[in-house]
Amino acid sequence: MWWKNNVAALLFLVTCGQYAQTLQPKVLCYYDGANSLTKGLGKVTLDDIEPALPFCTHLVYGYAGIDEETYQAVSRLPFLDLDTGKGNYRAVTQLKAKYPALKVLLGIGGYKFNEPSIEYMNLLESNSARFAFINSVLSLVKTYGFDGIDLEWQFPQNKPQKTISLVGSWWHKFKKTMTGGEPEQKAVEHREEFRALLRELKRTFRADGFQLGITVLPHVNSSVYMDFPAIINDLDFVNIAAYDQQTPYRNPRQADYTAPLYELRDRVPGNNVDGLVDQLIASNAPASKLIVSIPTFARGWKLTSESDITGEPPIIANGPSNPGSQLQSAGFYSWAEVCAMLPNPSNVALKGTDAPLVVDSSKRFGSYAFRVPDSNGENGVWVSYEDPDMAGNKAKYVKTKKLGGIAIADLSYDDFRGSCENGEKFPILRAAKTRL
C-alpha cells in the first residue's frame, strides 16, 4: 500500500504544480520595433530591451498593419522587419532560444500608423477579406516563429470628453453605449463580424497551439463591439489599454490624469483602471483572462496664467508641452525624461525653464508634477506620469482582484539605460513584477 500512497502523493504534487502554473500571472512586455529607427537618445534596439526579458512572460513585437487593397496583415516597416531587410521579425523570435519560457507575439493594429478605422470595418464586412487576413496572419506567424498574435482592432473611438459635473453624470452613464459616431446598425453588424473573425482565427491557430489575445484600445466602447460571452473562449487574454484617458491632443485645454487607478470626482464614469476592469467583468469576461496595461510614458500639457497654481487636476492648459531631449515629441515623455525633471540632488537649485517640477506626493489616483508659469505666463508645464511606485500599486490591484496579469507599454519608454533608479534598468517593469 505504501507505493499507492506515494503515487497518490506524487499525482497530487503534479496536479498542484500544474494548477499553480495556470495561475501564474502574465507579464506582457510590449516593444515597438520602430523605436530602433529613432535617432539620438530615443533609439531602443532589441539588445537594449534584452535585460527586461527575464521579467516578462510574453514579448509583443509591434506593429503590423492591414494592406488596404489585399486586406492582408503586413509589416509596415518591411526594411526593418522582414528577411529582405534587417530581419527584426526573425531576430525577436530567436530570443526564445535564450529565454525558453518567453512567448513572442506579433502585435497587429493599434493606431500606430494612423490607419483609418474604416479599413478595419471594411475587412470585417467581407468574408473573403477575413479569409485573406487570417491566411496572411498564419503565414507571418509560421514563417517567422511567433507564438501567436495580439490583435489591437481599430474600432471607431469615442469623441473626447471634458470633465463633467455631478449633475450631468447620469446622462454620460446613459450614453455609455454610444459608439463614437458609427451608426448603431453598423456597430451591431461589426460586433457579430468581429466575433466571427476571432472564431475563425482561433480555429486556424488551434492545430499549432498559437495564442490569440486582443487589446481593448483606449476610447473604444467594448460593450458595443465585443461580445465577451461569445468570444472569451477563443481568447488567451484580453489586454485593457488603461491609459490615455486624457491626452494633450484629445484634450488640449484641460490637463488631467492620463491613467487614473480609481474614479475621481466629476469625471466621465469608467475612465479609470478600476472602471474599465469592472465594465469587462460586468460583460462576463472572466477576471483570470484580464490584463491591465501599465504605461511607461507620460503626457504633458502647457500651463497658462489661467491655470490653478495648486496644480491639482483637472487644470486649464494650452495644448501639449515642449518636447523632451530623448523622444523629441511634444507632450509625450519617457519615464527617464520625467525623472530628469523631478526634484533630485542635482537639479533642486535650478530656476526658470529648467527648474524641477513640483510633485504631488499623495498618488491617490496617479502621479503628476507641475511647474507654474513665470511672470510672463511662460514655461508652465503639467505632467501625468507613471513611476515605479504607481506601477507597483497597479500590480497590487491586479493581484488583489485576481486578474490575469499586467502589460508594460512600452519597454522603450521605461528607463532602459538605468539613469534614474541608481543604475537599475527597467524600474517600472521591475516594480510592477515585484508586487504582482
Side-chain angles (χ1 to χ4, degrees):
M1 294 296 294
W2 64 269
W3 63 271
K4 290 184 178 179
N5 292 335
N6 287 345
V7 169
L10 180 61
L11 288 174
F12 176 77
L13 290 173
V14 170
T15 302
C16 289
Q18 291 175 340
Y19 180 69
Q21 188 175 15
T22 61
L23 293 181
Q24 180 187 9
K26 292 180 173 65
V27 181
L28 275 60
C29 296
Y30 284 74
Y31 169 62
D32 184 353
N35 289 324
S36 66
L37 302 174
T38 303
K39 295 181 180 180
L41 296 174
K43 183 174 183 177
V44 187
T45 67
L46 286 176
D47 288 340
D48 291 323
I49 69 165
E50 193 169 332
L53 300 185
F55 302 93
C56 308
T57 62
H58 295 67
L59 176 61
V60 183
Y61 179 88
Y63 291 91
I66 295 175
D67 186 278
E68 61 182 2
E69 295 182 358
T70 66
Y71 292 111
Q72 293 182 342
V74 294
S75 166
R76 287 301 190 192
L77 300 170
F79 64 90
L80 172 68
D81 296 328
L82 305 186
D83 288 342
T84 53
K86 294 185 177 182
N88 259 22
Y89 276 174
R90 203 169 299 280
V92 74
T93 58
Q94 286 176 347
L95 289 169
K96 292 185 290 181
K98 190 178 293 188
Y99 305 95
L102 184 70
K103 299 294 184 183
V104 181
L105 309 181
L106 177 62
I108 302 177
Y111 304 111
K112 169 64 182 179
F113 297 99
N114 296 319
E115 297 169 309
S117 293
I118 189 65
E119 291 181 14
Y120 285 74
M121 301 304 101
N122 289 342
L123 188 154
L124 290 179
E125 294 172 5
S126 167
N127 288 334
S128 61
R130 290 204 305 267
F131 184 75
F133 175 75
I134 291 169
N135 282 343
S136 65
V137 169
L138 183 63
S139 177
L140 282 175
V141 169
K142 280 192 169 185
T143 299
Y144 292 101
F146 288 101
D147 295 299
I149 65 169
D150 170 48
L151 195 59
E152 304 182 23
W153 205 258
Q154 296 178 198
F155 288 108
Q157 291 186 313
N158 296 327
K159 295 178 180 179
Q161 294 172 310
K162 293 183 178 181
T163 299
I164 60 173
S165 66
L166 292 176
V167 176
S169 65
W170 70 269
W171 173 241
H172 285 270
K173 289 180 181 179
F174 175 76
K175 293 200 299 180
K176 280 169 64 176
T177 57
M178 298 297 286
T179 64
E182 187 177 48
E184 182 179 354
Q185 183 178 358
K186 277 283 190 179
V188 172
E189 292 174 2
H190 291 152
R191 175 186 174 99
E192 292 303 311
E193 291 157 353
F194 187 61
R195 172 186 175 184
L197 175 68
L198 295 180
R199 183 176 61 245
E200 293 158 8
L201 266 170
K202 190 61 176 181
R203 184 184 297 123
T204 303
F205 280 4
R206 190 167 288 119
D208 297 289
F210 295 139
Q211 295 189 12
L212 174 61
I214 63 171
T215 290
V216 181
L217 294 168
H219 312 294
V220 167
N221 196 322
S222 61
S223 65
V224 170
Y225 292 111
M226 301 175 188
D227 184 355
F228 284 103
I231 67 177
I232 198 63
N233 288 334
D234 292 325
L235 299 173
D236 293 282
F237 62 83
V238 177
N239 177 32
I240 306 169
Y243 48 77
D244 279 355
Q245 300 308 306
Q246 302 274 351
T247 76
Y249 295 94
R250 285 178 59 87
N251 315 87
R253 303 301 177 188
Q254 186 178 77
D256 205 349
Y257 294 104
T258 62
L261 179 52
Y262 294 107
E263 187 162 310
L264 296 96
R265 180 183 176 90
D266 293 354
R267 304 304 204 278
V268 176
N271 281 6
N272 56 85
V273 173
D274 186 56
L276 293 169
V277 168
D278 285 348
Q279 285 176 25
L280 293 193
I281 290 177
S283 300
N284 293 315
S288 61
K289 286 192 176 184
L290 298 184
I291 308 294
V292 170
S293 278
I294 298 175
T296 58
F297 57 86
R299 295 289 188 178
W301 286 257
K302 287 182 180 178
L303 296 187
T304 73
S305 56
E306 298 178 346
S307 304
D308 190 338
I309 62 172
T310 67
E312 183 176 354
I315 188 169
I316 296 173
N318 186 29
S321 52
N322 294 330
S325 60
Q326 181 175 322
L327 302 183
Q328 293 293 320
S329 180
F332 187 82
Y333 305 110
S334 68
W335 164 235
E337 287 178 310
V338 174
C339 179
M341 292 190 286
L342 300 179
N344 63 68
S346 66
N347 70 12
V348 291
L350 298 178
K351 302 294 182 183
T353 59
D354 296 324
L357 305 182
V358 177
V359 179
D360 166 53
S361 59
S362 65
K363 297 185 180 180
R364 291 168 296 175
F365 304 101
S367 303
Y368 71 84
F370 65 97
R371 181 172 60 238
V372 297
D374 56 28
S375 57
N376 296 320
E378 302 292 335
N379 302 315
V381 61
W382 193 95
V383 181
S384 175
Y385 62 92
E386 206 87 352
D387 61 9
D389 288 342
M390 199 64 213
N393 290 344
K394 288 184 177 178
K396 182 181 178 181
Y397 167 87
V398 166
K399 182 178 181 179
T400 301
K401 297 276 283 190
K402 295 181 172 59
L403 304 182
I406 59 172
I408 302 298
D410 178 299
L411 290 179
S412 303
Y413 310 129
D414 202 347
D415 184 14
F416 68 95
R417 290 190 177 91
S419 59
C420 291
E421 307 289 328
N422 298 317
E424 182 180 76
K425 297 182 178 180
F426 299 99
I428 291 179
L429 167 61
R430 288 171 181 263
K433 173 70 173 179
T434 298
R435 301 191 68 183
L436 190 60

